[in-house]
Amino acid sequence: MTQTHLITGAGSGIGLAVARRLAARGDRLVLVARNPERADELAALVPGAVALAADLRHPGSLAEALAGDVLPDRIDTVVHGAGIVELGPVADLPVTAWTEQLTVNLVSAAELTRLALPAVRTARGQILFVNSGAGLTAHPGWSAYAASKHGLKALADALRGEEGVHGVRVTSVYPGRTATPMQEEVHRQEGRDYDAAAFIDPESVATTVLAALDLPRDALVPDVSVRPGPR
Ligand SMILES: NC(=O)c1ccc[n+]([C@@H]2O[C@H](COP(=O)([O-])OP(=O)(O)OC[C@H]3O[C@@H](n4cnc5c(N)ncnc54)[C@H](OP(=O)(O)O)[C@@H]3O)[C@@H](O)[C@H]2O)c1
């Protein structure tokens, strides 16, 4: 049966690499874009995909944005690939940096998961969170982003325990620095020169994601870290 995947963050970086790989094998893709204009762009970026507008900065609006028959009845996979980052020491970080990162990176992932769960249970499917090394270790300057990603780990771990009874698998992928527009932005915020060749190719993270999704159902990858290889 053709697989159906619901993907956030498919407009760029890791999410786009995952979406293109899944589309290339003929799977059905439903992409979540921040607004209708971006939805049109995503549908053009990923051939054959359907794109919905739902702004992850507003988790309270997701239920309405995805109400009715907007979501498929059966979803084999949810890939949470969207994310934002704003660095800075706790001493300087504005409250908006905390609320925006926690909202987009964590609260909306929880709400979208809740909304998709009936269809994922129907498919006995899988929910995959693109976390971060910052979800396991919080370095100076990374407090709010790391807090959102530590929270995302907690969401995934609790969900895995809850949903096993429904046949739903839950996976967290923890990439290190990956050569995407977000990493360029991190370098801008760190005031450092950016060299994409020093970091993981998003295609390699996509390969890890697909390996976790494609694993036969007798097994589950709960957590997997991906780090830049030795150069
Ligand atoms: N790059 C790294 O080094 C790295 C390392 C570890 C973990 N990660 C994580 O990997 C995931 C993907 O990151 P990436 O590097 O691929 O980043 P990216 O290239 O910046 O892509 C992020 C995606 O999230 C979407 N997004 C952001 N805010 C949104 C909103 N309010 N509503 C809907 N969509 C929104 C963006 O949409 P637009 O395209 O419309 O902007 C974009 O498609 C993130 O969760 C990130 O935290 C990245």
Side-chain angles (χ1 to χ4, degrees), residues 112-122 127 159 162-163 168:
L112 184 62
T113 296
R114 184 182 75 81
L115 296 168
L117 258 180
V120 178
R121 287 177 179 171
T122 298
I127 299 182
L159 185 70
E162 293 166 8
E163 291 300 319
V168 173

Side-chain angles (χ1 to χ4, degrees), residues 22 26 29 49 51 54 56 62 84 89 96 104 130 141 147 150 159 163 181 191 208 222 230:
L22 292 170
L29 301 195
L56 303 178
L62 296 181
I84 56 172
T96 51
V104 172
V130 182
H150 275 66
L159 185 70
E163 291 300 319
T208 308

Side-chain angles (χ1 to χ4, degrees), residues 8-16 32-35 38 41-42 54-58 80-85 104-105 130-134 145 149 152 173-184 186 199 202:
T8 70
S12 175
I14 294 168
L16 178 59
V32 176
R34 64 173 69 237
N35 57 39
R38 199 70 185 117
E41 289 171 8
L42 262 59
D55 190 341
L56 303 178
R57 289 174 304 175
H58 304 295
H80 292 281
I84 56 172
V85 63
V104 172
N105 297 354
V130 182
N131 199 303
S132 166
Y145 178 80
K149 294 296 192 177
L152 199 63
V173 175
Y174 299 87
R177 290 183 185 246
T178 304
T180 70
M182 176 185 279
Q183 191 52 237
E184 279 188 71
V186 164
F199 304 115

